[in-house]
Amino acid sequence: MSFGKNNFKVLLPFYFSIAVVIGIVIGSVLSTNSTSKKTIFTSRVSRFNKLNEVINYIEQDYVDTINEKKVVEETITNMLHELDPHSVYIPASEAKEINEPLEGNFEGIGVEFHIQDDTIVVISAISGGPSEAVGIQSGDRIVKIEGKTVAGVKISNNDVIKKLRGTGGTKVIVGIAKQGSDKINNYTITRGKIPIYSVDVGYMVDDKTGYIKINRFATSTYDEFMEKLHALKKVGMKNLILDLKDNPGGYLTAATKIADEFLDGDKLIVYTQGKARKKTEYRAGNGGEFINGKLVVLIDEGSASASEIVAGALQDWDRATIIGRRSFGKGLVQEPINFPDGSEIRLTVARYYTPTGRSIQRSYKDGAESYYEDVRKRATNGELESVDSIKLPDSLKYKTPGGRIVYGGGGIMPDIFVPIDTSGNSNFLFDVVNKGIISEYSYKYLDQNRATIEGYKSFSEFDKHFQVTDDLYNKFVVYALSHGAGKDEKGVKESALLIKTQLKALIARQVWKNEGFYPVIHRVDETMKKAMEVINSSK
């Protein structure tokens, strides 16, 4: 989701909120036996008044009582759905939850948790949050909330979130059992704002190469990114891998500010243009923090909108090597429009264009359903496995200042294609991943071996000395088979490396968070391997 002018808010006239019926025949016969017709509209009624009159007429004369709010909201939804795949109506009941990830915070007690053996187990208290302030720690069990038992009652993740989230300043009493103890201690926690981070991690892959992963472009993304960038430069970073895989986008401002850090001069980053929106250019500001040094940007079919703006700009100016698979192809600009009741419309008002003039948006002429099916079809038509399956006409070719050929027509085509990795796949791997067995086992393992794992002085020490041995892997297999995984002896062998790596990465994440997870999991990531090849090449 990307918004053009992200601070733009207008209140439409009230009549628009109830004047949006589609497909209703104006003027109706009251009775099939009647020879006369009732005219309810004057010849001077405007388009919007006509729709308003229809709603009023239905409410007044329809044979049954109607839920006017429901009729109006469904009609708005259907009307916008007919325009394009990204113009949407968001009911007031959903607007806050949808906006939270982009605003960069929510209100609650600030814990990461998982449900293990029908018990809520704290993975970690979020740094600076209310739970950390009162002393809640990793491994603690939440057994009561407001005096009611929540352990052993088949509670769901959503139920936990509903009970623990709430308006800032309100209090909630949480009953905690510390690890190794059955005693329940009550903690009164005052809910507060909890940050949602949009930069997952920044770490050094080797002595000269840094890695930063951005999961969305939110209000806080630029500041988070710059904090990681400065930290990596301080420890000697000369080259950077910027990971935008599975990043669905976000705010245009965040994207352009980050792209600006890689470009010098007054270079164009992106421009927008629409029927009612004049061409607006977004340019670099004459002095980014990382205008030298090798730069690789990782993308895939989950990279959309703001991610494509960054990748497209750096590709068009020959600043970065783009590695991965063709991005999603969302180049429509939505402008948020708020109603007094808290609901919201996000209306497409313009398109994005890269510096060479490429439109990022792919076609949606066959309707929204076909449009969203396209990404799934990439898996079935071979595009995720072979770049040769992508057929683009010469009319969509563009040339960068450095002479590279780049393509329009929807999405960003990478400079170096890396197929989706299917090595090590098996029915056994499918089962243990999709049934959450790998995650569950990693939680149990740490729970039972917390003193040993937390005894490592640092992640690097853990990484050097801790291995998922064959004996540990065999114990995992026994656990998996007893928890719903199908028997697949061949798959157990073929998927061993992937599963061992995931187990180690997930155990590390519980103690060292993403700074422990990504360095481990990247060892089996083919896109990262290709990125390091490019970084280490002589070119």
Side-chain angles (χ1 to χ4, degrees), residues 22-63:
I22 294 177
I24 298 176
V25 177
I26 306 300
S28 179
V29 179
L30 292 178
S31 169
T32 56
N33 295 323
S34 173
T35 57
S36 63
K37 297 179 179 180
K38 180 179 179 180
T39 301
I40 63 172
F41 306 122
T42 69
S43 61
R44 293 184 299 172
V45 82
S46 72
R47 286 175 298 165
F48 289 126
N49 285 337
K50 182 188 292 185
L51 295 173
N52 193 32
E53 290 290 347
V54 170
I55 291 287
N56 290 337
Y57 179 45
I58 291 173
E59 184 182 26
Q60 177 178 314
D61 289 352
Y62 183 63
V63 64

Side-chain angles (χ1 to χ4, degrees), residues 113-115 118-122 140-142 145 150 155 160:
F113 70 90
H114 74 98
I115 297 175
D118 206 15
T119 302
I120 305 165
V121 181
V122 175
D140 288 353
R141 267 75 169 160
I142 300 176
I145 299 175
V150 292
I155 195 168
V160 177

Side-chain angles (χ1 to χ4, degrees), residues 244-249 297-312 315 322-331 354 358-362 371 374-375 378 383-384 390 392 407-415 417:
L244 301 181
K245 298 194 307 297
D246 292 315
N247 181 323
V297 178
L298 309 182
I299 62 171
D300 64 8
E301 56 282 352
S303 308
S305 193
S307 297
E308 296 171 295
I309 289 171
V310 174
Q315 186 180 50
I322 313 300
I323 297 178
R325 296 182 293 278
R326 180 166 66 108
S327 62
F328 183 88
K330 182 200 179 285
T354 71
R358 293 184 285 165
S359 171
I360 295 170
Q361 182 62 43
R362 57 187 164 85
Y371 174 80
D374 175 73
V375 174
R378 296 185 195 185
E383 178 178 332
L384 302 186
I390 307 172
L392 295 174
Y407 291 89
I412 302 299
M413 285 287 293
D415 300 307
F417 176 83

Side-chain angles (χ1 to χ4, degrees), residues 100-360:
E100 276 178 352
L102 291 178
E103 294 304 322
N105 60 66
F106 64 93
E107 293 176 335
I109 71 167
V111 292
E112 295 179 37
F113 70 90
H114 74 98
I115 297 175
Q116 176 181 307
D117 297 331
D118 206 15
T119 302
I120 305 165
V121 181
V122 175
I123 299 174
S124 67
I126 295 174
S127 179
S131 290
E132 183 188 57
V134 300
I136 292 176
Q137 299 174 321
S138 175
D140 288 353
R141 267 75 169 160
I142 300 176
V143 295
K144 288 188 176 183
I145 299 175
E146 291 294 333
K148 293 184 178 180
T149 298
V150 292
V153 296
K154 304 296 183 185
I155 195 168
S156 69
N157 285 303
N158 285 336
D159 288 337
V160 177
I161 291 170
K162 287 178 182 178
K163 290 177 182 294
L164 296 181
R165 280 196 183 186
T167 305
T170 61
K171 298 180 185 296
V172 59
I173 299 173
V174 178
I176 297 287
K178 292 289 183 180
Q179 189 180 19
S181 172
D182 293 328
K183 182 182 178 181
I184 299 175
N185 297 302
N186 288 324
Y187 292 78
T188 299
I189 306 173
T190 302
R191 297 182 177 98
K193 285 199 176 294
I194 310 301
I196 301 175
Y197 296 107
S198 53
V199 176
D200 284 338
V201 70
Y203 80 95
M204 293 296 289
V205 183
D206 61 21
D207 292 342
K208 294 183 178 180
T209 302
Y211 168 92
I212 297 176
K213 180 172 178 58
I214 303 175
N215 64 54
R216 70 179 68 84
F217 289 90
T219 54
S220 61
T221 303
Y222 176 73
D223 291 337
E224 291 178 48
F225 170 78
M226 292 305 294
E227 181 181 346
K228 298 293 186 187
L229 187 70
H230 289 149
L232 295 180
K233 288 178 70 176
K234 282 183 179 179
V235 293
M237 182 183 71
K238 304 298 182 185
N239 312 302
L240 176 64
I241 299 170
L242 178 64
D243 191 346
L244 301 181
K245 298 194 307 297
D246 292 315
N247 181 323
Y251 289 132
L252 172 62
T253 302
T256 55
K257 288 175 72 174
I258 287 174
D260 189 358
E261 296 300 331
F262 301 113
L263 299 171
D264 59 357
D266 187 40
K267 289 186 171 68
L268 177 65
I269 295 172
V270 67
Y271 69 90
T272 63
Q273 193 166 12
K275 180 192 70 177
R277 298 292 186 274
K278 294 181 180 179
K279 181 178 180 180
T280 302
E281 296 184 344
Y282 298 82
R283 292 183 170 274
N286 298 306
E289 286 275 343
F290 197 79
I291 59 175
N292 299 308
K294 290 186 178 180
L295 177 63
V296 167
V297 178
L298 309 182
I299 62 171
D300 64 8
E301 56 282 352
S303 308
S305 193
S307 297
E308 296 171 295
I309 289 171
V310 174
L314 299 179
Q315 186 180 50
D316 280 11
W317 286 113
D318 300 300
R319 176 63 187 95
T321 301
I322 313 300
I323 297 178
R325 296 182 293 278
R326 180 166 66 108
S327 62
F328 183 88
K330 182 200 179 285
L332 297 177
V333 185
Q334 281 71 55
E335 205 164 61
I337 303 166
N338 292 342
F339 289 106
D341 67 352
S343 61
E344 181 178 317
I345 280 178
R346 293 180 183 174
L347 183 68
T348 297
V349 296
R351 286 184 168 83
Y352 292 121
Y353 297 88
T354 71
T356 58
R358 293 184 285 165
S359 171
I360 295 170

Side-chain angles (χ1 to χ4, degrees), residues 469-537:
T469 62
D470 289 341
D471 180 59
L472 176 54
Y473 180 62
N474 290 334
K475 289 178 180 177
F476 165 77
V477 172
V478 172
Y479 178 87
L481 293 175
S482 67
H483 285 74
K487 191 172 183 179
D488 177 14
E489 292 182 6
K490 182 180 179 182
V492 167
K493 294 178 181 179
E494 291 180 345
S495 301
L497 176 60
L498 288 179
I499 295 173
K500 284 182 175 182
T501 304
Q502 288 186 46
L503 282 170
K504 181 174 179 177
L506 288 169
I507 291 168
R509 173 179 263 170
Q510 295 177 72
V511 180
W512 295 280
K513 300 187 178 180
N514 284 336
E515 285 73 11
F517 176 82
Y518 282 102
V520 175
I521 208 70
H522 280 158
R523 292 176 189 140
V524 291
D525 186 322
E526 293 301 319
T527 311
M528 273 293 290
K529 291 178 184 178
K530 180 59 69 174
M532 290 304 294
E533 285 181 23
V534 170
I535 292 285
N536 293 324
S537 68

